[in-house]
Amino acid sequence: MLTTPLTKLLGIRIPAVQGGMQWVGVPRLVAAVSEAGGLGVLTALTQPSPEALRAAIRETRTLTSKPFGVNITLLPSINPPDYEGYARAAVEEGVRIFETAGNNPGALIKYFKSNGCIVLHKCTAIRHAKSAERLGVDVISIDGLECAGHPGEDDIGGLVLMARAAKELKVPFIASGGIADARGFAAALALGAAGVNMGTRFMCTVESPIHQNIKEKIVASTERDTVHIFRTLHNTARVFKNKVAMEVVAIERRPGGAKFEDVKDLVSGARGRKVYELGDPDYGIWSAGIAVGLIDDIPTCKELLERLEKQVAEIIGGLTRVVGASGSCPVSN
Ligand code: NAD
């Protein structure tokens, strides 16, 4: 048993969250993670409308009676979404756990807190974590430079970010970015985290909705196979290093730089979605963290979480023996 403030707060067995992932956080995966003892998270913006999100929430409930959450991410978008509509639909459907992320989340956090919800706020900087703490969030999900998707612009790796979070924050935090195996999971707990967030690792599971070719591509990849795009647009995103991503980087490096319009057709999420549907890793942009270098199989969510639970306990037990301590597991409290 890995009992932490996160497992107690959310009523889950294993302190592992499947963070929101565009096109990936759908009912089948979410339910599989929650059934296996972690926290599955539906990605609101993957659904075409708030009404479709209602249907996805109901579908998830037919697959699991365990807790699950909904992610709402506020970032620049080609077609600005109806964030309020998605939030209202989820609250009205009885969802009580939310993962928020992105820019200016104040109004959204206030809305969820005024409805008695638990909010995990994902951010990439201590200063943003402290602002979110002041807004009343329950848990900070702190994203190191290693993460897939949007890591912010500060380029602080997880080791320093987590140690800083442990010093600076009053609410529990979970570690995100670069975690895909028991070593990283145990290290996060040792750094003071109450749990971990994993995205890329859950993309590469049996229940993940992406094409088998892409799962096999992840297994075959190394930690050198991702790249940052949008650096020059101050909306940096870590994505799989494929032909389209390198074309975007080349456009950004042109003398005079690039405007979003110059890369819009290459980077659109609608095109990236086709990667997962067709199984062609070069069709568009797709998010991946450097944890691809740690992933060498395609387990079910149950196999993955049971393995992590067992190995994390072994690592912590081994460390306890090294320091000669007796008594309970250091993460139980
Ligand atoms: P999209 O097609 O609207 O945009 C594709 C990419 O371009 C995204 O990374 C987006 O942030 C970026 N972008 C859009 N307009 C921009 C601008 N004017 N300047 C700079 N960058 C710009 O994205 P989508 O795939 O349909 O996703 C919808 C939203 O969800 C986006 O804001 C995206 O960033 C966000 N997102 C959420 C998650 C999640 O886990 N919830 C993951 C990835 C992306």
Side-chain angles (χ1 to χ4, degrees), residues 87-277:
R88 203 174 329 109
V91 168
E92 284 174 7
E93 287 299 314
V95 173
R96 287 295 171 266
I97 303 174
F98 286 89
E99 181 188 63
T100 54
N103 306 327
N104 303 317
L108 200 58
I109 292 170
K110 273 190 197 152
Y111 174 69
F112 291 140
K113 290 312 298 175
S114 68
N115 280 282
C117 302
I118 295 172
V119 179
L120 285 66
H121 182 65
K122 201 162 201 209
C123 51
T124 58
I126 299 297
R127 61 190 186 285
H128 298 152
K130 291 181 92 162
S131 304
E133 198 175 55
R134 284 193 291 276
L135 289 166
V137 303
D138 301 273
V139 177
I140 296 292
S141 181
I142 197 105
D143 236 338
L145 167 72
E146 300 87 341
C147 73
H150 297 271
E153 310 302 324
D154 291 350
D155 291 353
I156 310 295
L159 269 179
V160 168
L161 209 50
M162 282 184 261
R164 290 271 295 127
K167 270 195 200 170
E168 297 279 344
L169 302 180
K170 295 181 191 72
V171 298
F173 70 96
I174 64 173
S176 181
I179 297 165
D181 67 5
R183 292 186 181 91
F185 196 144
L189 297 177
L191 280 157
V196 298
N197 177 93
M198 296 186 292
T200 308
R201 177 60 276 193
F202 282 118
M203 273 172 77
C204 198
T205 57
V206 170
E207 296 91 344
S208 157
I210 69 174
H211 197 286
Q212 183 70 12
N213 289 354
I214 304 302
K215 297 180 192 178
E216 287 170 11
K217 188 76 182 168
I218 291 173
V219 169
S221 300
T222 76
E223 63 276 18
R224 301 181 68 236
D225 287 325
T226 73
V227 65
H228 278 156
I229 60 168
F230 296 153
R231 181 104 275 186
T232 61
L233 300 173
H234 304 290
N235 185 31
T236 300
R238 187 184 292 283
V239 301
F240 194 78
K241 194 195 276 179
N242 63 9
K243 287 181 193 152
V244 184
M246 294 319 289
E247 207 177 324
V248 173
V249 171
I251 293 171
E252 287 190 78
R253 283 182 184 154
R254 278 183 199 156
K259 294 188 290 302
F260 182 69
E261 289 304 313
D262 301 332
V263 296
K264 180 178 161 186
D265 293 338
L266 291 170
V267 303
S268 86
R271 181 168 170 172
R273 180 180 206 166
K274 290 270 180 204
V275 167
Y276 300 144
E277 282 172 16

